[in-house]
Amino acid sequence: MRNPTVPAQWHDALSRTGRRFRIWRDTRPFWAGLSTLSAGLPIMYFPYAHLTWGSVTLALSTTAGAASLVIGILLVVLGLLLWFQHNARIFAGIAAILLSLIALPLANFGGLFLGTLPGLIGGSLACAWAADGSASSHGNPVATGHEAATAGHDGPTLFPAAPADGGQHAR
């Protein structure tokens, strides 16, 4: 049902934009990139912020400020890399996991664990992501192009087929 306050042209444009975004999102590790990108923000924020609860001010500004800034920026860049260069997902996933673990001692417990946990989750999702057509239909990780290339190979095999005449090795 259409909203009477939204013109029909806007409704059609919004539905086309939403459909294109879903297609774009489904062709890359979107949630891994979002989680990795969001991991960098608290890691960068807490060393430079002054948190206040009532009349108590908590300042986490220590010598970890430079390391926090570098780690946070790298995690944000890795999140964007996962969105726009999804072929580098293994590198970005492993780098995000390592940076999230390095942030624990160097960046105020990884942004009070608010940066480490999404970084670990995003890096794991990036390493585990596979495109829809990358695996065969039976769940076998061997690509079908490799099977076709080696199908005509007549070289020696480790386990030869049983004799067709029903001899002693046919069991």
Side-chain angles (χ1 to χ4, degrees), residues 61-145:
S61 48
T62 62
T63 57
S68 299
L69 188 62
V70 169
I71 291 171
I73 288 173
L74 285 174
L75 283 171
V76 168
V77 168
L78 287 172
L80 293 173
L81 182 75
L82 286 169
W83 282 352
F84 298 111
Q85 294 292 327
H86 54 88
N87 293 332
R89 66 179 174 80
I90 299 294
F91 164 75
I94 291 172
I97 289 171
L98 291 176
L99 283 171
S100 298
L101 289 174
I102 289 172
L104 280 171
L106 293 182
N108 296 326
F109 296 112
L112 299 177
F113 296 106
L114 295 175
T116 297
L117 293 177
L120 292 174
I121 291 169
S124 300
L125 286 173
C127 290
W129 183 82
D132 290 337
S134 66
S136 67
S137 61
H138 302 294
N140 188 358
V142 177
T144 56

Side-chain angles (χ1 to χ4, degrees), residues 10 17 41 43 58 71 102 110 114-115 118 149-150 167:
W10 288 11
T17 303
L41 300 177
I43 290 175
L58 175 67
I71 291 171
I102 289 172
L114 295 175
T150 60

